Amino acid sequence: MANPRRQVLGLASASLVGGLAEAVVLVLVVSITLVATGQTEMVGPLPVLGVELSATHALVVAAVLAVANIAVHYVTARLIGRLGTSVQSESRTAAINAFLHADWNRQSLEREGRLHETVAVLSTNAAQATMSIATGVTAALQLTALMTVALLVDPLATLIVVVSGLVLFAGLRPMSLATRRRSAAFLDATGDLLTSLTRSTGMAMELRAFGVTETERLRLERQVRDTAERNRKMRVASRFGQTLYRDLAIAFLVGAVGLLYLLGPEDIGAVGAVVLLVIRAANSSQGLQVMRQQVSEWSPDVERLIERIDSLRADAHQGGSTPTDHLGAIRLEQMSYAYGDTPALEAVDLEILPGESIGIVGPSGGGKSTLMQVLMRLRTPTDGTVAVDGLDYRCVRDSDWARLVALVPQEPHLMEGTVRENAVFHRDGVSDGEIEHACRLAHIWDEIQRLPHGLDTTLGARGSGISGGQKQRLAIARALIGSPELLVLDEPTSALDAASEERLRDTLSDLHGSLSIVIVTHRPVPLSVCDRVVQVVDGQLGA
Ligand SMILES: Nc1ncnc2c1ncn2[C@@H]1O[C@H](COP(=O)(O)OP(=O)(O)OP(=O)(O)O)[C@@H](O)[C@H]1O
Ligand SMILES: [Mg+2]
């Protein structure tokens, strides 16, 4: 990635050089016209340089400068394009990193579709805003160059033009504020629409099964219309703000020419050059106004992008750094957890010995899943401690923790990809032998062998292509790869039939003693292999 400061400097120099070249070409064109119509003999004396040129020499200089201008504009376009691309990719990377590094509590609260919106919409518009600012800087510098030359040709006329331009620019501020307000409203509606769409995609089956597809369609259609309406309002403000400037500038020009007519100027050459420069300058300042409207349109995106990245960063996951080989005994002492102000677990004392299997039972909403998440270090206790072999578990190095502790969640997520990819799940150095061993332990190996391409069979979105029970067992195999010392299972049999449940019981008894197991379940079959059963009721532990 090129250094942005150098890019901006390059852009500024190119714009100044381009502006000067263009101004000189315009002055030369007027002067050559005067020679051609027989009003003067020579071109010049030229401003600053003070030299006189023959019409032929002046033509050659003008042609060279005109061609040079093409090169300058090519360089400018490249620099602006590069600046926009780097803003887009860097802000995307920053948003993705901030999300992935946020703690799980924060991630679980993230609105559906929000990261999608940040990466797809906000960072694209932030890049557009950057390119608009860069284009604006270019236009401002070109304008400066043009006005400098004009000032040398006719100071008074130029001053009048500059002051009028500034007044006009300041007078149009309400337009850019209106654009900004409307753009923020449009952005809110787009965000809501994306959230709804993500939700509908995930719930397509339920929508169909409950026969409410039509209601959902109408709801989404309303949102689309609302978004379109806000978009329309924003575009009208933005466009009108852009053209209004040009229209007012033309009105000013008419006034200025009228004034000129009344005053009766002496140097027709100078006036001609200034008029040309002013028209060109009006073009540049129109560019400035367009850029200002566009920046107003996109600045809410930039603000939100920064806000979101900062807020995710504020909730960054705090990992440990102590290298740890073994978990040993896991001890929860007076451990409490609250969701905000609502306590979910209170003063829990629990010891899990190496190789021990513990069943967790209790009524719905009692706090079992919360306890599993605290045990997994997905949520950190709001009070009390969890220690492994005497060490506060928050200190354990992240990579060690992930290897030593494995989870089979209540609703495992599988991804689009092969069975092998789902079993390995991004971890390095997993051999086929390990996969087979884990799949055999999870009692899914034979069924994988019967799939059309075995381990290389591709599963669809959310792991479609295998049954609910197979998904559950594949999730168990995924957890067993890497030989964890603690296996946490949250209601693993909820989707299983009696035969699958028997297979899970076999898995648990095969594993019994070789690692610690904590299993949340209401079923007697898996509980039968547990060394002891603990009840969680209203956030408290009982035997
Ligand atoms: N993300 C959350 N934010 C706020 N409150 C939550 C959250 N998750 C759970 N709770 C609340 O915490 C309490 C314990 O929930 P938890 O999911 O741990 O129960 P559970 O014992 O696993 O229930 P179930 O058997 O139904 O799965 C409940 O009152 C629940 O409403
Ligand atoms: Mg639960």
Side-chain angles (χ1 to χ4, degrees):
M1 194 77 58
N3 178 349
R5 193 173 299 166
R6 269 179 51 193
Q7 283 184 13
V8 172
L9 263 177
L11 191 63
S13 335
S15 315
L16 265 180
V17 170
L20 280 174
E22 209 176 317
V24 173
V25 170
L26 294 179
V27 172
L28 287 175
V29 164
V30 173
S31 309
I32 293 165
T33 315
L34 291 180
V35 175
T37 51
Q39 309 212 27
T40 53
E41 296 262 309
M42 297 286 280
V43 171
L46 290 173
V48 190
L49 300 174
V51 290
E52 289 200 341
L53 293 173
S54 70
T56 327
H57 282 149
L59 254 176
V60 172
V61 173
V64 169
L65 286 177
V67 172
N69 218 12
I70 297 175
V72 168
H73 283 148
Y74 173 67
V75 172
T76 317
R78 269 184 70 110
L79 286 170
I80 291 178
R82 210 189 286 173
L83 204 62
T85 317
S86 61
V87 165
Q88 187 183 47
S89 62
E90 276 170 28
S91 59
R92 283 181 168 173
T93 314
I96 292 168
N97 280 347
F99 177 78
L100 289 178
H101 289 144
D103 62 29
W104 189 74
N105 184 41
R106 178 68 169 77
Q107 289 176 330
S108 69
L109 294 174
E110 190 76 346
R111 238 180 128 188
E112 281 179 329
R114 175 159 282 196
L115 182 63
H116 188 130
E117 185 199 14
T118 310
V119 169
V121 181
L122 299 189
S123 65
T124 304
N125 289 350
Q128 300 277 27
T130 311
M131 289 195 287
S132 279
I133 292 172
T135 313
V137 169
T138 314
L141 290 169
Q142 275 173 355
L143 198 61
T144 312
L146 288 166
M147 287 298 99
T148 309
V149 174
L151 208 61
L152 295 168
V153 177
D154 191 332
L156 185 65
T158 311
L159 265 178
I160 294 173
V161 169
V162 169
V163 172
S164 327
L166 288 175
V167 168
L168 210 54
F169 202 70
L172 286 177
R173 187 171 151 73
M175 283 308 299
S176 63
L177 289 180
T179 307
R180 194 190 173 96
R181 240 186 352 263
R182 291 174 175 199
S183 168
F186 168 57
L187 208 53
D188 285 339
T190 312
D192 290 346
L193 179 63
L194 279 175
T195 298
S196 289
L197 286 175
T198 314
R199 207 180 64 186
S200 304
T201 321
M203 298 187 75
M205 190 183 79
E206 279 91 341
L207 291 173
R208 167 98 14 184
F210 284 81
V212 290
T213 307
E214 193 54 20
T215 320
E216 181 74 349
R217 185 186 69 76
L218 289 172
R219 203 178 63 82
L220 287 175
E221 217 173 83
R222 253 197 320 277
Q223 274 189 299
V224 167
R225 269 202 306 275
D226 178 44
T227 315
E229 178 58 17
R230 293 185 193 205
N231 191 8
R232 186 188 62 76
K233 285 186 177 159
M234 177 192 77
R235 299 240 166 266
V236 169
S238 181
R239 299 262 145 192
F240 187 56
Q242 291 173 21
T243 47
L244 185 61
Y245 181 87
R246 193 178 54 212
D247 298 342
L248 291 176
I250 289 174
F252 263 72
L253 194 65
V254 173
V257 170
L259 204 67
L260 219 60
Y261 178 72
L262 289 176
L263 294 176
E266 285 165 17
D267 186 348
I268 187 72
V271 170
V274 169
V275 167
L276 249 189
L277 287 170
V278 165
I279 290 175
R280 179 62 189 88
N283 202 2
S284 275
S285 53
Q286 159 75 3
L288 260 182
Q289 175 64 14
V290 169
M291 151 323 268
R292 180 204 210 175
Q293 286 294 102
Q294 288 177 343
V295 171
S296 305
E297 195 176 314
W298 290 317
S299 56
D301 295 70
V302 178
E303 281 159 17
R304 273 175 212 198
L305 179 70
I306 295 171
E307 254 168 47
R308 285 186 193 175
I309 293 176
D310 284 351
S311 114
L312 284 167
R313 282 182 180 161
D315 288 326
H317 163 78
Q318 305 292 330
S321 58
T322 311
T324 309
D325 285 337
H326 293 288
L327 287 180
I330 303 164
R331 191 167 291 122
L332 285 75
E333 270 179 56
Q334 295 294 296
M335 190 281 291
S336 302
Y337 185 84
Y339 290 103
D341 293 333
T342 318
L345 291 169
E346 284 175 284
V348 170
D349 286 314
L350 178 69
E351 185 171 32
I352 306 161
L353 297 172
E356 193 179 17
S357 293
I358 300 180
I360 308 275
V361 295
S364 176
K368 303 179 296 297
S369 292
T370 309
L371 178 62
M372 295 308 102
Q373 289 167 15
V374 171
L375 206 50
M376 287 300 302
R377 222 173 65 168
L378 288 168
R379 298 185 182 278
T380 34
T382 32
D383 213 355
T385 55
V386 181
V388 288
D389 231 2
L391 174 74
D392 184 332
Y393 82 153
R394 286 173 298 185
C395 299
V396 175
R397 189 164 62 185
D398 278 359
S399 54
D400 291 335
W401 184 259
R403 184 176 50 78
L404 291 166
V405 178
L407 172 74
V408 180
Q410 196 161 5
E411 291 160 26
H413 290 95
L414 295 184
M415 56 186 183
E416 202 169 324
T418 62
V419 173
R420 182 198 308 279
E421 283 165 344
N422 272 289
V424 173
F425 200 53
H426 304 308
R427 288 164 293 185
D428 292 328
V430 179
S431 67
D432 275 4
E434 271 177 280
I435 300 175
E436 181 178 341
H437 179 64
C439 289
R440 281 192 189 280
L441 276 172
H443 291 270
I444 193 174
W445 182 248
D446 294 341
E447 279 151 274
I448 292 176
Q449 292 307 295
R450 287 198 291 275
L451 289 173
H453 304 286
L455 275 177
D456 294 313
T457 307
T458 303
L459 305 181
R462 294 176 283 280
S464 66
I466 53 173
S467 74
Q470 287 169 334
K471 259 185 222 170
Q472 191 67 270
R473 274 177 284 133
L474 185 52
I476 294 172
R478 176 177 76 179
L480 291 175
I481 284 174
S483 312
E485 292 186 10
L486 170 67
L487 180 64
V488 174
L489 303 103
D490 194 353
E491 311 233 24
T493 53
S494 54
L496 305 187
D497 64 354
S500 306
E501 203 170 53
E502 289 298 327
R503 289 196 206 111
L504 179 81
R505 205 234 353 241
D506 294 342
T507 301
L508 294 177
S509 46
D510 291 349
L511 292 170
H512 189 259
S514 63
L515 76 169
S516 310
I517 298 174
V518 177
I519 175 167
V520 174
T521 182
H522 294 281
R523 311 281 191 106
V525 175
L527 281 179
S528 66
V529 284
C530 291
D531 299 313
R532 61 192 168 109
V533 176
V534 174
Q535 274 222 1
V536 184
V537 184
D538 285 343
Q540 298 191 328
L541 243 60

